[in-house]
Amino acid sequence: MLSAEAISQAKTAVVYSNQAPPHHESDDCIRIAYEWLDAQLKIANKCSKRYSLKHLVEKWAGRYVSQADVDVAAFLHPDIAGKYPHYNFSAQLMEPNLRRLEGIAEAMTQMNYRKDFSPGLYKYHES
């Protein structure tokens, strides 16, 4: 699990993809985004498809996640390269297993996001 210290340092070091001031509600939102990114199949080049990643993450985790949260999570992930929304993972998405959210207190706390979850967007489903 990402430490509060690592997240704090990353927030000051990351180059955000959005021009607006970064918005972070909770470090858990970054942890959620990190887990979603971690589950994806990594490739050598950036993903050619344009996904609204924050919305995919929100619907999976049942919690609001900002684009800035995804930026920080990608910055912290050792296997992720690129810039939002074009990171180096396959366009054939992997639905992360919900066990990844265990221990993340803020996960599944805003179920209005989860009601729009669509497993059909994912080609693969993590076991």
Side-chain angles (χ1 to χ4, degrees), residues 2 11 21 27-28 39 41 64 66 78 83 94 100 102-103 122:
L2 298 174
K11 285 177 184 177
D27 285 353
D28 276 354
L41 303 169
Y64 171 80
S66 70
K83 190 170 177 104
M94 170 76 72
R100 289 178 168 275
E102 292 175 2
Y122 295 91

Side-chain angles (χ1 to χ4, degrees), residues 23-72:
H23 174 74
H24 302 286
E25 288 187 2
S26 166
D27 285 353
D28 276 354
C29 298
I30 295 166
R31 292 181 182 104
I32 288 167
Y34 184 95
E35 290 299 328
W36 190 94
L37 289 169
D38 190 55
Q40 301 312 304
L41 303 169
K42 310 315 179 282
I43 59 175
N45 300 314
K46 66 182 181 178
C47 180
S48 59
K49 236 177 169 178
R50 184 176 178 96
Y51 289 108
S52 182
L53 298 180
K54 72 173 247 65
H55 296 298
L56 290 172
V57 175
E58 288 170 341
K59 291 172 185 176
W60 168 69
R63 172 67 165 93
Y64 171 80
V65 172
S66 70
Q67 185 171 320
D69 293 330
V70 178
D71 284 336
V72 174

Side-chain angles (χ1 to χ4, degrees), residues 4 6 9 20 23 29-30 39 43 47 52 65 67-68 72 77 81 83 87 90 93 99 105-106 111 115 118 120-121:
Q9 289 174 356
H23 174 74
C29 298
I30 295 166
I43 59 175
C47 180
S52 182
V65 172
Q67 185 171 320
V72 174
H77 199 290
K83 190 170 177 104
Y87 296 117
S90 173
L93 299 177
R99 285 190 309 265
E106 292 286 322
M111 293 305 285
K115 71 178 173 61
S118 178
L121 293 174

Side-chain angles (χ1 to χ4, degrees), residues 6 14 21 68 76 91 95 109:
V14 69
L76 286 165
E95 177 190 353
T109 58

